[in-house]
């Protein structure tokens, strides 16, 4: 396969140990092309590295992105070591190129990077038990806690306005007005759903603009499959997929983790009756999360956690709907209405959250009080 050949060729650029014996496409990522690269050591032992071709259609400033990752992973490694952990398993570690670079650019202009492979882990795609959400909350909470002292302003804004919900709304309006594929008529219900919530779009961004929230280091893509879980302990071990680490808000991470994890069904489930917001999963995640960051977050930040779940879910639905209206140019789709179906699941979750709003607020208040008493 041509793809594998390009990956094999890229291997020789990196400072690896042993003899390369092959590569295999790996994982379920939707953005980068990921490979497991196999090596034979002199001792006869086998070693894997994780090789990725960075998606430069989405990430146009690969240099800035890689500097972000290098800075954050080195900082995390120090913090993990200080607290008696194992940085080689609990944080991503980059393998440098033979020229001491953070990534390699091949003759075709493809950018490649390599990580130490973290062995004996598993990933969760759809959450089936509250325990997984609890450990997910601990992992993302710990990630924020360890990075709380990292200067957020020093990070590149890899994708501008990535979680700027009002901007996402404007892009949606423009797509709806232009309606180049005449699809708006097929999405009337979904378009109305967005319009009915227009006043809420700036719930998070206005607090940042007003100085109520300070700029934080956020991960920005806190799907549960961006955590590697330890096969032995079953606990969250390492937060991965650091491409979108940027200056932002903790709420982007809390909200997106709830959006993706507290869903009883897949993000693109067609049978909407199967899609349900799981309040028990929300509770489990929040418990793990606040155990880690209760003292890091201000009261204002804590109060807005339920709202962040709603806004991030609404925003993601708006992004899917926009992509549907402009002709599926961003998210990979596998059938004609894929993005519209994805938007529907997100809006169902938003509606469910609105129906248990007081309970969500009570859960956060009670768990914050419990965590403070510990
Ligand atoms: P994408 O941005 O395409 O989602 P990820 O960085 O999340 O790509 O990586 C894709 C998959 O590769 C992950 O879901 C995970 O299974 C695996 N993976 C990533 N980094 C490592 C690593 N250092 N060790 C082991 N597996 C990894
Ligand atoms: C994309 O790579 P993946 O599938 O984890 C997207 C996220 C969306 C998500 C929705 C860089 O994430 O923002 O929430 O799809 N990543 C980017 O499934 O746009
Ligand atoms: Mg990923």
């Amino acid at each position: 396969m041509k793809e594998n050949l390009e990956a094999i060729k890229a291997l020789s650029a990196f400072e690896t140990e042993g003899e390369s014996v092959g590569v295999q496409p790996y994982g379920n990522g939707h953005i980068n092309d990921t490979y497991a690269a196999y090596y034979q050591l002199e001792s006869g032992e086998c070693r894997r590295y994780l090789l990725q071709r960075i998606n430069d259609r989405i990430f146009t400033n690969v240099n800035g992105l890689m500097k972000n990752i290098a800075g954050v992973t080195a900082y995390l490694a120090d913090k993990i070591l200080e607290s008696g952990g194992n940085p080689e398993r609990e944080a991503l570690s980059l393998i440098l190129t033979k020229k001491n670079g953070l990534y390699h650019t091949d003759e075709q202009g493809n950018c490649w990077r390599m990580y130490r492979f973290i062995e004996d882990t598993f990933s969760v795609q759809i959450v089936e038990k509250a325990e997984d959400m609890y450990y997910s909350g601990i992992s993302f909470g710990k990630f924020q806690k360890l990075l709380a002292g990292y200067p957020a302003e020093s990070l590149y804004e890899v994708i501008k306005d990535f979680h700027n919900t009002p901007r996402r709304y404007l892009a949606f309006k423009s797509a709806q007005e232009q309606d180049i594929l005449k699809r708006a008529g097929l999405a009337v219900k979904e378009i109305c759903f967005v319009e009915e919530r227009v006043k809420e779009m700036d719930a998070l961004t206005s607090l940042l603009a007003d100085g109520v929230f300070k700029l934080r280091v956020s991960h920005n893509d806190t799907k549960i499959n961006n955590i590697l879980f330890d096969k032995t302990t079953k606990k969250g071990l390492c937060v991965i997929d650091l491409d979108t680490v940027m200056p932002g808000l903790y709420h982007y991470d809390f909200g997106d983790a709830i959006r993706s994890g507290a869903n009883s069904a897949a993000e693109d489930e067609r049978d909407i009756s199967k899609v349900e917001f799981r309040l028990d999963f929300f509770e489990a995640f929040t418990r793990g999360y606040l155990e880690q960051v209760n003292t890091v977050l201000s009261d204002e930040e804590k109060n807005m956690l339920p709202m962040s779940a709603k806004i991030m879910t609404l925003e993601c639905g708006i992004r899917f709907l926009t992509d549907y209206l402009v002709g599926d140019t961003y998210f990979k789709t596998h059938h004609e209405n894929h993005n519209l179906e994805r938007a529907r699941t997100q809006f169902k979750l938003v509606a469910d959250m609105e129906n248990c709003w007081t309970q969500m607020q009570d859960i956060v208040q009670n768990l914050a009080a419990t965590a403070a008493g510990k």
Side-chain angles (χ1 to χ4, degrees), residues 63-353:
N63 201 40
L65 174 152
M66 288 308 295
K67 279 189 177 162
N68 282 355
I69 293 182
V72 162
T73 50
Y75 189 90
L76 282 171
D78 283 350
K79 292 282 165 192
I80 290 165
L81 204 59
E82 270 172 31
S83 60
N86 177 355
E88 287 192 0
R89 284 184 67 67
E90 294 168 40
L92 286 175
S93 359
L94 281 168
I95 305 293
L96 298 184
T97 68
K98 289 177 178 155
K99 294 179 182 159
N100 221 21
L102 298 174
Y103 64 99
H104 162 66
T105 309
D106 68 18
E107 284 159 5
Q108 287 73 41
N110 295 309
C111 296
W112 300 85
R113 70 168 163 234
M114 192 181 261
Y115 287 117
R116 193 181 296 281
F117 200 102
I118 305 176
E119 298 287 354
D120 303 315
T121 66
F122 66 96
S123 306
V124 174
Q125 301 301 333
I126 299 185
V127 179
E128 274 163 12
K129 45 187 196 303
E131 194 187 26
D132 289 343
M133 278 301 264
Y134 171 65
Y135 289 129
S136 166
I138 291 185
S139 286
F140 287 126
K142 193 169 173 198
F143 182 83
Q144 294 184 342
K145 184 171 73 176
L146 293 176
L147 289 169
Y150 194 92
E153 323 71 44
S154 70
L155 291 168
Y156 289 89
E157 195 175 0
V158 179
I159 301 178
K160 207 169 156 18
D161 292 321
F162 190 57
H163 284 313
N164 186 328
T165 316
R167 290 270 164 110
R168 296 289 189 183
Y169 171 73
L170 290 180
F172 153 76
K173 279 309 289 175
S174 149
Q176 185 210 340
E177 277 154 24
Q178 293 179 32
D179 196 18
I180 51 168
L181 291 176
K182 300 281 165 271
R183 282 178 163 181
L186 304 169
V188 174
K189 227 173 115 195
E190 291 72 26
I191 291 169
C192 288
F193 189 92
V194 175
E195 293 300 353
E196 282 160 14
R197 284 152 189 83
V198 69
K199 286 205 188 96
E200 287 167 297
M201 299 291 164
D202 70 347
L204 298 174
T205 46
S206 64
L207 291 169
L208 179 63
D210 294 347
V212 179
F213 287 170
K214 65 174 183 178
L215 209 56
R216 303 285 205 172
V217 175
S218 51
H219 179 287
N220 296 308
D221 189 5
T222 46
K223 275 182 169 177
I224 196 161
N225 72 4
N226 283 330
I227 298 175
L228 296 178
F229 286 77
D230 190 309
K231 263 191 188 155
T232 315
T233 64
K234 314 281 187 251
K235 295 181 182 176
L237 177 70
C238 180
V239 171
I240 60 167
D241 207 343
L242 304 180
D243 293 323
T244 49
V245 169
M246 278 184 274
L249 295 176
Y250 284 164
H251 297 81
Y252 302 155
D253 291 354
F254 180 90
D256 197 52
I258 297 299
R259 174 194 79 74
S260 59
N263 182 354
S264 61
E267 190 173 80
D268 58 354
E269 174 58 57
R270 285 173 160 176
D271 180 355
I272 215 71
S273 70
K274 291 188 180 152
V275 178
E276 198 189 316
F277 174 63
R278 293 283 303 254
L279 194 62
D280 55 338
F281 289 180
F282 173 79
E283 200 268 351
F285 183 92
T286 309
R287 189 155 42 88
Y289 178 76
L290 285 177
E291 279 176 14
Q292 294 296 315
V293 291
N294 200 40
T295 54
V296 178
L297 297 186
S298 67
D299 286 343
E300 288 90 348
E301 284 176 319
K302 278 178 228 174
N303 288 340
M304 287 303 279
L305 291 176
M307 186 53 104
S308 74
K310 179 171 159 180
I311 295 296
M312 295 309 294
T313 311
L314 183 62
E315 179 191 282
C316 193
I318 291 173
R319 290 175 65 196
F320 289 142
L321 185 55
T322 308
D323 205 31
Y324 173 70
L325 294 173
V326 301
D328 310 312
T329 58
Y330 187 91
F331 296 104
K332 286 178 192 163
T333 51
H334 303 298
H335 48 265
E336 198 176 336
N337 290 335
H338 207 165
N339 270 316
L340 180 60
E341 288 156 8
R342 288 172 175 146
R344 284 183 182 139
T345 66
Q346 302 307 292
F347 296 155
K348 168 65 165 61
L349 293 174
V350 171
D352 282 359
M353 288 181 204

